[in-house]
Amino acid sequence: MTPQEMVERALALSTNDGCVVLVDEGSTANLRFAGNTLTTNGVARSSRLTVISIAGDRAGVVSRAAVREEQLADVVAAADAAARDARPAEDARPLVEAGPASAHWDEDVRPTDIGVFEAFAPALGEAFATAEAGGRRLYGFAEHRMTSTFLGTSTGVRLRHDQPTGRLELNAKSGDLKRSAWTGVSTQDFTDVDVAALGASLAQRLEWAKNRVDLPAGRYETLLPPSAVADLMIYLFWSAGARDALDGRSVFARPGGGTRVGERLGTLPVTLSSDPGAEGIACAPFVTAHASSRQSSVFDNGLPLGPTDWIRDGRLEALHQTRYSAELSGLPVTPAVDNLILRGPGGGPSPSLEEMIAGTRHGLLLTCLWYIREVDPQTLLVTGLTRDGVYLVEHGEVVGEVNNFRFNESPVDLLGRISEVGAEGRTLPREWNDYFQRTIMPAVRVPDFNMSTVSQAS
């Protein structure tokens, strides 16, 4: 069966009051390399069917991988039975009514394949040769995924989204393996990846690391590159659920009840937003909820998504809302969107990271953050480690590499202490890129970033 046929047959087989069917057709291609040598490459395909059966105000969800035609009736019957046996759902709402179907609904799925690396692979080979000549070793992987999602409902919704997702993680080590540097990029198709420039950047960082400086724990003026900013903002974004705020369980809860929507979080007028149509990081323009949670509802499948400001000019503007939570809070319905953009104040060109380094009298330059874990949801305090390069900046120049640190910071609190915001660009988060890759972030300057303890990690 084609995905479209699977949707139609599953809808026809359901005997309950309503039904939602999601079919996700996935494909991946990857290259892996170590020590300046390609080690493996491969492609894979996947398919997952999710049937959400509605019986009155109850929902039953059954999800299966690689469902064959003869298994379809059993999957739908199981979802119907699960709905009849379920408890009433507090988020139950009428299914979304049909609008225009996706124009490419009937087109064939076009999976990715190893050909996506046609221009990238030779450039990677040249980077291997350059690294070898310079006494460096490159490690890492390149991965490209294509996911085609088909959404059909008993109310006539027929929506489709094809999502390309690519990432490159590149780690350079000195010949004695004592110095290490990392970089990563997010891409839709690898045609825009400048491997030579990435390799040169890593070579520069390994040169910086030849001079070792040990520093104690403390608060330091710190330049966070876009990747580190992305990891912190993603965690803030994941924590911005309206239900948790209404229940007093998050940093966005107002003392005495309600949410902090409308409150100022930072002095600089930064804006954190999502936009399904953002160039380079476009994502699904409609809700696809495979299960209900505190931040999503299966009853909302097919709701249109648009540009959403979560924080506008430093003020909390919106939280993740289902139709149910929006009724509880009295705020607009603002479901989560699968990308994230942080922009600084307008009014002139923003500095590059290099210009921010040049403007630093004494401070630290990070590479990335790692092993981020929540400490206190009421303040969104998180802890984590620096990794693959922390550099000392003196009088506008990088003078050496320092030891790693454990940090303790709240992304929300940081918004109130940022003193400079650089130019934004598409970036790859280091910690969370298995789950969230579509981000546009700037570098930022924090005058007193809390390096709570020295880390022995290397």
Side-chain angles (χ1 to χ4, degrees), residues 377-439:
Q378 297 296 327
T379 60
L380 204 61
L381 179 67
V382 298
T383 188
L385 302 173
T386 63
R387 188 176 183 185
D388 285 321
V390 180
Y391 305 100
L392 178 62
V393 182
E394 296 279 6
H395 303 291
E397 294 185 357
V398 177
V399 298
E401 183 185 55
V402 307
N403 43 273
N404 279 305
F405 295 95
R406 173 170 292 280
F407 69 89
N408 286 296
E409 282 287 1
S410 164
V412 176
D413 189 54
L414 281 179
L415 289 174
R417 291 162 36 221
I418 291 173
S419 60
E420 186 179 21
V421 180
E424 68 269 2
R426 189 170 61 191
T427 191
L428 182 74
R430 177 74 184 272
E431 172 79 325
W432 306 124
N433 69 50
D434 281 343
Y435 317 103
F436 202 110
Q437 292 184 23
R438 284 171 282 280
T439 64

Side-chain angles (χ1 to χ4, degrees), residues 231-261:
D231 276 319
L232 292 172
M233 291 301 105
I234 289 169
Y235 202 85
L236 182 155
F237 180 68
W238 283 342
S239 304
R243 284 291 308 280
D244 286 343
L246 288 169
D247 292 346
R249 297 170 57 176
S250 85
V251 67
F252 300 111
R254 177 178 294 156
T259 76
R260 294 176 63 188
V261 170

